[in-house]
Amino acid sequence: MTSRRKFLKGAAAVPAAGLAAPALAQSTITWRMQTYAGAALAEHVVKPAIDMFNKIAGDRMQIELFYADQLVPTSELFRAMQRGTIDAVQSDDDSMASPTEVTVFGGYFPFGSRYSLDVPVLFNQYGLDEIWKAEYEKVGVKHISAGSWDPCHFATKDPINSLADLEGKRVFTFPTAGRFLSQFGVVPVTLPWEDIEVAVQTGELDGIAWSGITEDYTVGWADVTNYFLTNNISGAWIGHFFANMGRWEELPEDLKALLTVCMEQSHYYRQWWYWGGEASLRVNGDKMKLTTIPDAEWQQVEDAAVKFWDEIAAESETKAKVVEIFRQYNADMAKAGRPYRYS
């Protein structure tokens, strides 16, 4: 583990986007962006968008992309961006420890969504985008765009067939998800992203509740875990693109527009990549056996989420406003019926 961390620290000086960067004009605007994702995952969740931006922007602007923990630990991403050490970030609020009222809703807010399309609708039609932009403006950061990733499932070495099987399991997960799951005996563990596979192999971790099955296969976790729990605590991870406010405001309007368009394209790519991948690997994947906790028993987890929402809403006026939006949205989807909600 120590050797891996030393290797990563040494690799931080190398731009993840490639070693042979082309010569740039002296007037070229250059940014450094770090993603929450490791190299294998970043190939899908961010690199295509940055490559597209760099190709179109040419000598006017180039973005150097760095992977998880290469420049700073993920938990320090916000502060580094706020200071200007990093110009832009792709992450959820929760993982990078944003000092905002909306941080708890980033990543996997328990049962806030059922499907990936819920996220863009919540932001673009139910008002979350305005709230996020206002909260980050207060702390000198530009919230550029929000999008959805995959659902949150358990990938474990031992089978999970009941809630009792979660007791004592040491699991790598997000801060808020861990806070919620701890009531069922889960022991949340925080480690650098690149150390997770080794930690499962050595027994430091019993499992992972950080993604859906697409990421388990993409990043190698399916090689060190044996089981995939089909029940999930959220239908989609909420992630964002952010930038240092000063650096953002320095950009010409057309480059702001180009950057935003490329990030929106990134959101679209993930919509179909994850949605298709989750189904295909459940059906065709040969590395992990599927297990399921019966609906009647899993209802205890969903009922606990309602109480958890109340707990979060009681913490501040802004959090209460966001929780109310989640409540209204999910109530509307339930009334709409199929295909929006099936139960």
Side-chain angles (χ1 to χ4, degrees):
M1 300 282 279
T2 302
S3 296
R4 286 176 68 87
R5 292 191 179 102
K6 286 180 178 178
F7 173 78
L8 285 168
K9 185 176 181 181
V14 181
L19 296 175
L24 301 176
Q26 288 187 343
S27 60
T28 301
I29 300 168
T30 58
W31 274 20
R32 298 197 301 175
M33 171 186 283
Q34 182 170 310
T35 175
Y36 74 97
L41 181 58
E43 284 292 329
H44 293 279
V45 301
V46 66
K47 191 173 183 294
I50 300 307
D51 287 346
M52 181 188 298
F53 177 87
N54 287 342
K55 181 178 181 179
I56 298 171
D59 275 350
R60 294 191 63 202
M61 181 172 175
Q62 292 288 295
I63 298 175
E64 291 181 303
L65 179 62
F66 295 84
Y67 300 150
D69 305 310
Q70 276 199 305
L71 296 179
V72 297
T74 298
S75 62
E76 297 176 17
L77 276 176
F78 175 84
R79 296 299 184 189
M81 174 173 51
Q82 188 183 46
R83 291 193 305 265
T85 305
I86 298 173
D87 303 296
V89 164
Q90 181 199 44
S91 179
D92 68 288
D93 318 74
D94 208 18
S95 297
M96 68 177 193
S98 300
T100 73
E101 291 294 320
V102 296
T103 295
V104 70
F105 303 105
Y108 292 118
F109 186 57
F111 297 99
S113 65
R114 295 284 178 173
Y115 309 114
S116 57
L117 276 175
D118 290 339
V119 174
V121 175
L122 278 160
F123 273 82
N124 295 308
Q125 295 184 354
Y126 278 71
L128 292 190
D129 191 63
E130 291 84 357
I131 295 173
W132 256 251
K133 281 178 168 50
E135 284 297 308
Y136 278 94
E137 187 174 355
K138 293 176 184 176
V139 292
V141 166
K142 172 65 178 179
H143 174 262
I144 301 172
S145 183
S148 60
W149 274 249
D150 49 339
C152 183
H153 294 261
F154 282 90
T156 54
K157 292 193 290 187
D158 298 323
I160 304 295
N161 294 298
S162 70
L163 292 181
D165 291 334
L166 295 175
E167 186 69 37
K169 292 291 188 296
R170 294 161 297 177
V171 174
F172 172 65
T173 190
F174 293 86
T176 298
R179 174 180 167 185
F180 173 70
L181 291 169
S182 62
Q183 64 188 291
F184 300 102
V186 172
V187 181
V189 178
T190 300
L191 289 170
W193 191 91
E194 290 285 355
D195 287 346
I196 303 310
E197 185 175 344
V198 174
V200 175
Q201 290 176 305
T202 61
E204 188 176 353
L205 289 174
D206 298 305
I208 303 156
W210 203 83
S211 70
I213 197 168
T214 306
E215 287 193 15
D216 292 333
Y217 274 76
T218 301
V219 306
W221 295 339
D223 297 324
V224 295
T225 56
N226 302 312
Y227 298 93
F228 179 84
L229 181 65
T230 61
N231 310 78
N232 64 61
I233 68 162
S234 180
W237 188 76
I238 301 176
H240 314 267
F241 287 99
F242 304 93
N244 173 276
M245 186 65 81
R247 296 307 305 275
W248 173 262
E249 292 178 344
E250 290 171 0
L251 292 181
E253 290 302 316
D254 63 331
L255 287 180
K256 290 179 183 177
L258 176 59
L259 191 53
T260 301
V261 167
C262 290
M263 291 173 177
E264 291 295 332
Q265 174 65 22
S266 174
H267 297 324
Y268 172 69
Y269 179 101
R270 287 191 309 277
Q271 285 281 344
W272 59 260
W273 183 68
Y274 277 122
W275 185 257
E278 296 300 303
S280 177
L281 287 170
R282 286 190 186 199
V283 175
N284 302 309
D286 59 1
K287 294 181 179 180
M288 306 172 78
K289 295 180 180 179
L290 306 183
T291 66
T292 301
I293 296 175
D295 289 344
E297 185 176 1
W298 189 252
Q299 188 62 46
Q300 297 177 47
V301 183
E302 297 201 26
D303 292 342
V306 175
K307 297 179 180 178
F308 185 76
W309 286 20
D310 291 337
E311 178 185 332
I312 298 298
E315 293 178 353
S316 76
E317 184 178 339
T318 299
K319 290 178 182 178
K321 183 178 180 180
V322 174
V323 167
E324 183 53 36
I325 288 174
F326 275 107
R327 288 193 203 282
Q328 184 62 58
Y329 175 77
N330 280 279
D332 288 349
M333 295 300 104
K335 290 178 182 177
R338 300 180 183 223
Y340 300 95
R341 294 292 186 268
Y342 283 83
S343 61

